[in-house]
Amino acid sequence: MPTLHDILREGRMVANHRPWPRAMVNARTWQMAAATAADGRLTLLGLWGDADVVHMALLDDQAGSAAVLSLECPDKRFPSVGRLHPPAIRLERALRDMHGLEPVDCPDPRPWIDHSGGAPYPFLSAEGDSLHQIAVGPVHAGIIEPGHFRFTVNGETVVRVEERLGYVHRGIEKLMRGAMLEQGAKLAERVSGDSTVAYALAFARAVEAALELEPPPRALYIRGLMAELERLANHLGDIGAICNDASFAMMHAHCGILRERVLRAAHGCFGHRLMRDCLRPGGVARDIDAAGLALLDALVTDIRRHFPALVKLYDNTASLQDRTVTSGILKPALARQFGAGGYVGRASGRAFDVRRSIAYPPYDELEFDVPSLTEGDVNARVWIRIREVEQSLSLIEQMMARLPAGPVMTAVTSRPGESVSMVEGFRGDVLVWLRLDDDGRIVRCHLRDPSWFQWPLLEAAIEGNIVADFPLCNKSFNCSYAGHDL
Amino acid sequence: MLKFLLQGLTRPPLTEAPPSPEDAELTALAARLQTAARRRLGRSLSIRAVDAGSCNACELEIHALNNAYYDIERFGLRFVASPRHADVLLVTGPVTNNMRQALERTYNAMPNPKWVVAVGDCALDGGCFAGSAAVAGGVAKAVPVDLSIPGCPPPPLEILKGLLTLLEQM
Ligand code: SF4
């Protein structure tokens, strides 16, 4: 089987694409790459369209390298990757809806993001005696994002659940076309609200790679602080929310307090609770002052004081453990096949974290663990997040101790270029692909949320569980609807 | 667990923690809300939230209203699961084409009298998604809006103030 390097050699290298190489390939090489991914030797990182071109990003885990392959499809057709490698199927369906490019022989002919068809959506069937269906959503009982779940159940046991997404499709990638960088950054931050910093960072890093800019060291550290605060807030909130879905409201209340304190500290440091409009291409829009650092210091001390007791409470409450242990098991083989990122992957043996595997500053100078487990159940996903809270606290301390002095912004020039960037959000790896024209306008910006490779796995993890455990399993994945639907 | 329960009984609640300027504002709000809600609606107002294409940040801040700092239920404001139980429809997002029908059906399922509150810049006029062919560009394009709370996202206190304003107008 060819390596990524071999595949790239078959193609024609494209100049001015950074930092990973990009090659124009023919249909044969395209299919060879798909087969290599299907074989488990490459991980599919993304698949997106452009005007009459399809692109595919691939990761060679072993070599720690990644690349983009592009295939021209002047007749608006390309050989399906999903035919060989199922993780690509939804991406191809979206591509067909958005760009009118046809993945030839894609196993699933149904639309995905485009709901305008009029005819009822044909859900996959499940047949057998005494099965019935439950339709849930898009408007859910709680205050959550919209999506539809179609359950087929036998008594209480889920036989199949099928997701229907696309309800929050806002057309972000179209709005990106022709946008100036400032507008692009605003849009990127609003792809998925809980990952504001992650998207701002991924976008900024893509711009900087395309323009070959280096933000000042202080800005890199402040970005790191922002990213870890975002991770902390989400992990703390979600650990509580998962327990709440197992009807253990006390954890929810206490974790909610800690989350609120993180958001207040973020507001105190950067002027916005979710750190909107704080991180910009070229650096950061807000420096942190001594008062801000004192706030962070107090925050870390506070969480260190209160969090361990909550962890103990989680661990020692038998009725809660009864719900989380062995529920919603995601098998390691599936996590690997789909390249599942974040705690979903790491709880199922895929110890991938962009901060470590394709390290970017400031993480290349910091010490931290990437916790991983193999059980793959709700409990394992909770534990990964508990461990990551601890790691984030330590990272914040390290960054504060080493915070370089100096400016926090470099001037952003304009010139044409192409780039790709990947950063680790709280949910997993966010990928951005960018093409800029000579006046610094965005020609094409593709944003790939980690949820693309996690949503399908939720369908697999829920099989055989009881319907009442679905909210619990769903929350333990906490995939993004907005990030997926764009 | 006993320790936590005991602490809950013996420690002062966070909601009345030493008043920082913001918390003082919260306490004052609480008093206003209580009188208003009691007078108009006999102590309670039920809210149904619908995400009509939000980035989810507005939801996060609406969620925060339930945490111990804001504890919105003490004002008689509570989130309900069914539109049939709701007085107020809280809508976020620019109203995507794909959510429009679901939003309208939720609105139609609510009994009268009913009010609609649009939360966030997106809900107001489409925010930074205005102009996209995939969105209607604001809640008012789909259902009649009684009040808008701007912000991206509006912080919990602003949402609370907005709900109070609505109550006073009722
Ligand atoms: S107003 Fe801002 S925070 Fe709210 S949904 Fe729109 S983009 Fe997100």
Side-chain angles (χ1 to χ4, degrees), chain A residues 140 166-167 170 193 260 273, chain B residues 48 55 61 69-70 96 98 132:
Chain A
H140 297 283
Y167 291 94
R170 293 146 287 167
E260 178 69 22
R273 287 160 58 88
Chain B
R48 168 70 244 205
C55 75
E61 295 298 54
Y69 280 92
Y70 305 101
T96 58
N98 294 352
S132 164

Side-chain angles (χ1 to χ4, degrees), chain A residues 190 276, chain B residues 54-58 93 120-122 129 151-153:
Chain A
R190 285 155 182 81
R276 279 265 155 93
Chain B
S54 137
C55 75
N56 195 29
C58 277
D121 292 346
C122 283
F129 308 118
C152 187

